[in-house]
Amino acid sequence: MKFLYRIAGQLSGAAIKLASPFNRKARKMIAGRKEIWARIEQCFAGNTAPVVWIHAASLGEFEQGRPLVERIKQDFPDYKILLTFFSPSGYEVRKDYEGADCVAYMPSDTDGNARRFVRIVNPSVVLFIKYEIWPNFLMALRRQSIPVFLVSAIFSKKQLFFKPYGFWYRKLLTLFDYLFVQDEASRDLLSEYGITRVRVTGDTRFDRVLAIRNQRKRIDIIEHFVQKRSSEEVILVAGSSWPIDEEFIIPYFNSHPKQKLIIAPHEIHEAHLCAIEQALERKSIRFSQIAGLNVLEGVDCIIIDCFGLLSSIYRYADVVYIGGGFGRGIHNTAEAAVYGVPVLFGPNHKKFKEAVDLLALNAARTLKVSEDYAAVMDVFMENERLRKEMGQQASEYIENRGNSTSRIMRTLGDYLKRH
């Protein structure tokens, strides 16, 4: 199985290289990885401080693990913090993150890379976020007796670990000192296979969205846009939308003058922004082009063409549409639900526990097919009481799931105190 894993890794690397002439993310990944070793050696040359290495696949996983980063920084200031990413979408946005002493790409998972990386960094404690399970790195860390933890993981019978042919992958889970899982179902499933070094600590993402809500930014432009609407108009925030989402969001908006739209596309490259503008039939403006509040006169749609605002913008919504559900999977629903607004998303949501829970609580709606959108949105547009009731359920759900970081630190803190 290890041989097959190595072959799969080589094929994946070749695919990224082949895609690079046509794919911007692939090009950034290749360019970034060329600088890994120089970056790491520069960060850790002559270092004598203990190191915590935290790895996140992308931006979403980083936000999930961020409460732990900040808690470690606060409680154990003598530690040097290394933050690594697999994806450019995480690294490019957070490469200057002040909470870490060093931010870098993670090298590809080969035996040689893992040994070299562990030797240079010499971490005292390692945290992998959610699904980041890299065999060669795990084995290199185990050989050096370096404690490693999986944070905010969630497991189900459908995963490869629990298939009849998944023994090799399942064995990797025993290389973690502890698995911090989101729910009891995950703990019980792992226990069936003899994996018992497990703590049910919840999802640190809820701590993060609660912190964002409590520290939310006042955005004068959005506030003015919302305040000048009439009492009959409804604000829809479309967060992390993809073209397939926009194919039904924008036509509905065009034909419903009582709806105001704030759209934050997942990808903000020029071609995508132009496509949105061409589809819109009502007056719109890009956020970056708003030089003063007076230019908002007559504007019905604001296109958010920058990063870092969406989690604060959700507070201004009456209804939120979360993108990705007609693709690989929905984006973060908790960031919107924390503000007490109903959320709507596509069918590919079943891997996301909070989305399933919100649906069960009648705090969210899902679309089976894109053609359902108009009927569901009509109900939201016409029923303010329903919006408020659903929003209240959403807010209470998030509030009741905080403090995961503190539960993790009860165990993790004992390891950090050893150095």
Side-chain angles (χ1 to χ4, degrees), residues 359-374:
L359 287 169
L361 291 169
N362 194 35
R365 292 283 187 274
T366 185
L367 309 175
K368 291 183 179 179
V369 293
S370 59
E371 289 78 10
D372 293 342
Y373 179 81

Side-chain angles (χ1 to χ4, degrees), residues 141-161:
L141 292 165
R142 172 54 64 93
R143 281 192 292 267
Q144 299 299 319
S145 299
I146 296 169
V148 56
F149 304 87
L150 191 63
V151 174
S152 292
I154 189 165
F155 294 96
S156 72
K157 202 79 173 179
K158 295 179 181 179
Q159 291 170 315
L160 177 60
F161 308 107

Side-chain angles (χ1 to χ4, degrees), residues 395-411:
S395 178
E396 289 178 2
Y397 171 79
I398 303 297
E399 287 280 357
N400 292 336
R401 281 159 180 78
N403 294 320
S404 175
T405 302
S406 294
R407 287 190 285 271
I408 290 172
M409 288 300 294
R410 289 172 197 157
T411 300

Side-chain angles (χ1 to χ4, degrees), residues 62 83 127 183-184 196 221 274 316 320 382 384-385 414:
F62 162 74
L83 174 64
L127 307 176
D183 58 17
E184 293 181 0
T196 57
I221 289 168
C274 287
Y316 298 105
V320 169
E382 296 165 7
E384 181 181 2
R385 180 178 177 181
D414 291 338

Side-chain angles (χ1 to χ4, degrees), residues 7-20 30:
I7 295 300
Q10 292 170 350
L11 291 174
S12 175
I16 291 171
K17 287 181 180 178
L18 288 172
S20 61
I30 290 171

